[in-house]
Amino acid sequence: MDLQIALLLGQDGLTNGAIYALLALALVLVFAVTRVIFIPQGEFVAFGALTLASLQAGKLPGTVWLLLALGVLIGVLEGSRAVRAGQLRRLPLIVLLNVGVPLLLAGTLIAVSPATLPLPVQVLLALMLVVPLGPMIYRLAYQPVAEASVLVLLIVSVAVHVALTGLGLLFFGAEGSRTPPFTEVSFAVGDALLQGQTVLVIVASLGLIIALYLFFERTIYGKALRATAMNRTGARLMGISGTLAGMLSFTLAALIGVLSGILISPITTIYYDSGFLIGLKGFVGAIIGGLASYPVAAAGAALVGLLESYSSFWASAFKEVIVFTLIIPVLLWRSLKTTHVEEQ
Amino acid sequence: MSPADHGNERTVVLEVDKLSVSYGKVNALHGISLKVHRGEIVTVIGPNGAGKTTLLCALIGLLPASGDIVYLGERQHGGRSVEQLVRLGMTLVPEKRELFAEMSVADNLLLGAFDRYRAGHRDSLETMEDVFNVFPRLMERREQTAGTLSGGERQMLAMGRALMAKPRLLLLDEPSLGLAPLIIREIFRTITQLKRTGVAILLVEQNARAALQVADYAYVLETGELALEGASRQLASDPRVVASYLGLGGRR
């Protein structure tokens, strides 16, 4: 291996690593706040990328119908609850929010041809279509069992993952899609060529990580999420309900997932089931961070990206094996290093 | 004057009638009736395991209960959630404090006003100044993380955080627990000060002497039932209370 190849692989590894880092952060966030191991995280990557690809191909993405169906379900659920509690004046808002907005979005997509819209608008549309699925799935699948054990929540996650993968096949078909790059520029670094898209992915990821940091450190809602992660009872007594924290963390996780998908789809071909493997690599990063530390999780995910890219050069048949085997020494090291403290 | 009519000049903030709580088949509380008025300190004293913490948890909606709870003139049908009661100005300072250990004192206080922020009030900085006036120690420690505070400071922070919500009814669960006598005196002095702001306080205590000194009215809870009630001064000289809770030192 000469320097040029090493640089090329490093560039590749860091790009993927940046995406894994974003997903690792989302996984840590969701777990810390809701104790949910969010296996469907990867589906948001695939749904985001494929929804954008559908819009660009001039097709109506199937996620519109999912959004509408979930909206109707939640509308019925919340509506009947409001009726039973005698709060009829809440009814119009519930219907408008859960059914009206998705209908409006669907109508807009049918009325204008999204393929002709400029790229930023298409990205915005993809975000509006897929990100709301996060809190909606929380409302329907997780909120009713929010107090259950981690294992039950994990089983729910597996079910949601399988359902979403199936729906992905139905919506987008078995063919993969690739979206055009956001930028065509490239820089020459020595002998190697640095793609503008690669730089964009890394810069955008870092920007998103900084934005997340500021959200958690500076805003009262970010602090409320951290408080829920630290002390659930204490947070409830301040009026920070588990539902609010869950909805908020799932919205963030979905946003991170969709943005990752949109960032990575010009580089890699995304299939309906690609998300799982991408999410799983983010999960390895999150495990390195003990599902608790954000910086260690991000660094671990970047390491996973680099390891993956160099092992694809030396032993491409064992690429995935090497990446996922990393989890064993990490778990060993963590279990030897951490001393378990009794609950007080 | 019948025992239930204490201070009937003022508005009733909380009225509880025949409240019962059970854990499965075990009856933890049975037929509890009590009243708290605006600007009044009411204490519930009793030994370990009498159900004092259970009472407060039931009132704020952390535990399901049967019986009537009328809060601010409104019957709490079918058990309201904690969040709804917090929105209505009920705040609990729990026995275990439940602070956000890895956050700074200032952030802990700020989150005390979370629900007010959500409801559209943007006065948390002014409220924090008020809290710092009540607990100057918290002002000195504002950048420190809550986990590094001493026991007394933690209690102050828990109370300060509760005050950030500008409560109408403050539920205090064993504020003296695990604290040195000097700190206990300071905490109870603060509780007396708070009374002047018009907040109603329901104070649950094992430290009967300190509680009876600051409270206007008192109930004695024993094995899940109210055994005695009366004006604090009367109860403090009641031979049964003296014998069980105050010892000889209470006779002054």
Side-chain angles (χ1 to χ4, degrees):
Chain A
M1 176 157 70
D2 57 21
L3 185 69
Q4 193 180 351
I5 295 175
L7 276 176
L8 208 70
L9 289 174
Q11 175 187 331
D12 217 40
L14 276 183
T15 320
N16 287 336
I19 297 294
Y20 300 153
L22 283 177
L23 297 179
L25 293 183
L27 287 165
V28 173
L29 164 69
V30 167
F31 182 74
V33 174
T34 65
R35 298 174 304 123
V36 169
I37 294 173
F38 196 40
I39 298 173
Q41 178 70 54
E43 268 64 66
F44 285 92
V45 178
F47 276 30
L50 294 172
T51 300
L52 182 64
S54 298
L55 288 175
Q56 288 174 345
K59 283 184 277 189
L60 198 60
T63 30
V64 177
W65 309 122
L66 183 59
L67 189 71
L68 202 56
L70 294 184
V72 169
L73 266 177
I74 294 174
V76 170
L77 219 68
E78 295 285 357
S80 62
R81 240 177 58 169
V83 169
R84 257 181 287 137
Q87 296 169 311
L88 288 174
R89 61 197 172 80
R90 284 187 53 219
L91 221 48
L93 186 71
I94 291 172
V95 173
L96 182 75
L97 219 60
N98 292 297
V99 185
V101 173
L103 266 180
L104 190 72
L105 213 52
T108 314
L109 284 181
I110 293 170
V112 302
S113 57
T116 58
L117 293 170
L119 185 61
V121 181
Q122 289 172 338
V123 169
L124 198 67
L125 277 174
L127 285 172
M128 283 165 70
L129 282 173
V130 189
V131 174
L133 296 178
M136 285 171 139
I137 287 171
Y138 178 78
R139 174 66 192 86
L140 286 172
Y142 295 98
Q143 195 186 316
V145 291
E147 298 302 317
S149 68
V150 174
L151 184 64
V152 171
L153 294 170
L154 174 68
I155 293 167
V156 173
S157 281
V158 173
V160 172
H161 158 68
V162 172
L164 285 181
T165 314
L167 286 172
L169 180 60
L170 182 70
F171 293 155
F172 306 110
E175 305 85 38
S177 298
R178 205 182 252 239
T179 53
F182 291 94
T183 166
E184 301 281 3
V185 288
S186 56
F187 316 93
V189 179
D191 291 333
L193 204 63
L194 192 58
Q195 295 295 330
Q197 180 68 26
T198 308
V199 179
L200 186 80
V201 169
I202 294 172
V203 169
S205 303
L206 284 178
L208 200 54
I209 289 172
I210 291 169
L212 281 174
Y213 174 80
L214 291 177
F215 171 74
F216 284 116
E217 288 294 322
R218 298 283 156 81
T219 69
I220 191 159
Y221 280 94
K223 286 173 185 172
L225 277 186
R226 278 168 59 214
T228 306
M230 277 176 218
N231 189 328
R232 210 167 294 271
T233 312
R236 280 195 79 189
L237 290 173
M238 303 299 109
I240 308 165
S241 74
T243 307
L244 173 75
M247 290 281 199
L248 201 53
S249 57
F250 270 65
T251 308
L252 281 174
L255 177 70
I256 292 170
V258 175
L259 281 176
S260 307
I262 290 172
L263 281 173
I264 205 173
S265 62
I267 299 174
T268 326
T269 307
I270 299 282
Y271 298 85
Y272 73 97
D273 61 350
S274 302
F276 181 58
L277 218 52
I278 299 174
L280 217 50
K281 282 167 193 162
F283 188 68
V284 175
I287 290 289
I288 294 174
L291 274 177
S293 163
Y294 292 96
V296 180
L303 178 75
V304 168
L306 285 172
L307 188 71
E308 179 189 37
S309 115
Y310 284 104
S311 55
S312 69
F313 179 74
W314 276 306
S316 64
F318 294 104
K319 182 180 99 171
E320 313 288 13
V321 179
I322 291 171
V323 167
F324 291 117
T325 311
L326 181 65
I327 218 167
I328 296 173
V330 164
L331 286 177
L332 263 176
W333 165 67
R334 285 209 74 91
S335 69
L336 290 176
K337 204 194 78 173
T338 49
T339 45
H340 280 276
V341 236
E342 290 289 318
E343 283 273 311
Q344 42 173 327
Chain B
M1 184 168 121
S2 80
D5 284 341
H6 55 99
N8 58 353
E9 308 291 319
R10 285 160 297 168
T11 32
V12 181
V13 174
L14 178 76
E15 189 169 3
V16 177
D17 196 32
K18 299 194 186 71
L19 181 88
S20 297
V21 179
S22 44
Y23 296 107
K25 279 184 183 161
V26 184
N27 238 338
L29 283 179
H30 184 72
I32 306 290
S33 300
L34 55 81
K35 245 184 195 181
V36 187
H37 295 84
R38 191 170 179 279
E40 182 184 45
I41 302 179
V42 172
T43 186
V44 176
I45 55 175
N48 247 339
K52 303 189 297 295
T53 298
T54 304
L55 172 65
L56 292 190
C57 288
L59 288 178
I60 199 140
L62 281 173
L63 286 174
S66 61
D68 281 341
I69 302 175
V70 179
Y71 176 58
L72 298 174
E74 225 178 288
R75 177 148 295 143
Q76 307 301 304
H77 46 81
R80 282 187 187 253
S81 68
V82 181
E83 293 80 15
Q84 284 168 318
L85 287 165
V86 168
R87 176 62 55 94
L88 292 172
M90 196 191 282
T91 306
L92 168 68
V93 180
E95 190 180 348
K96 290 188 207 150
R97 278 64 150 172
E98 311 284 7
L99 298 172
F100 308 124
E102 292 146 55
M103 280 192 199
S104 70
V105 167
D107 279 353
N108 268 273
L109 289 176
L110 190 70
L111 284 170
F114 178 78
D115 197 65
R116 280 182 66 77
Y117 184 90
R118 269 195 96 193
H121 300 281
R122 294 291 181 272
D123 54 359
S124 48
L125 287 181
E126 290 96 77
T127 322
M128 208 183 286
E129 287 305 313
D130 296 343
V131 171
F132 285 148
N133 283 332
V134 179
F135 298 108
R137 195 89 64 89
L138 294 182
M139 173 77 164
E140 294 162 29
R141 301 268 187 265
R142 60 190 301 171
E143 298 303 328
Q144 231 170 292
T145 54
T148 63
L149 298 180
S150 71
E153 288 163 350
R154 278 179 207 206
Q155 181 59 37
M156 289 177 197
L157 179 54
M159 285 173 64
R161 188 178 65 170
L163 291 177
M164 288 294 292
K166 296 201 170 175
R168 291 206 242 184
L169 174 63
L170 189 59
L171 307 174
L172 296 173
D173 195 354
E174 303 259 9
S176 76
L177 193 76
L179 300 184
L182 231 98
I183 310 283
I184 295 181
R185 202 176 302 162
E186 200 179 330
I187 296 279
F188 276 82
R189 201 183 305 135
T190 317
I191 295 174
T192 324
Q193 276 175 26
L194 290 181
K195 181 184 159 178
R196 278 180 231 135
T197 64
V199 61
I201 299 174
L202 182 58
L203 167 69
V204 151
E205 259 300 341
Q206 236 186 107
N207 187 334
R209 180 171 301 129
L212 288 176
Q213 264 173 19
V214 299
D216 302 293
Y217 200 81
Y219 297 86
V220 179
L221 189 65
E222 277 172 359
T223 56
E225 289 183 54
L226 289 179
L228 278 173
E229 66 177 284
S232 307
R233 216 159 289 167
Q234 276 170 314
L235 271 198
S237 54
D238 188 298
R240 286 168 291 179
V241 175
V242 173
S244 311
Y245 301 105
L246 299 177
L248 287 176
R251 215 186 277 273
R252 272 190 285 174

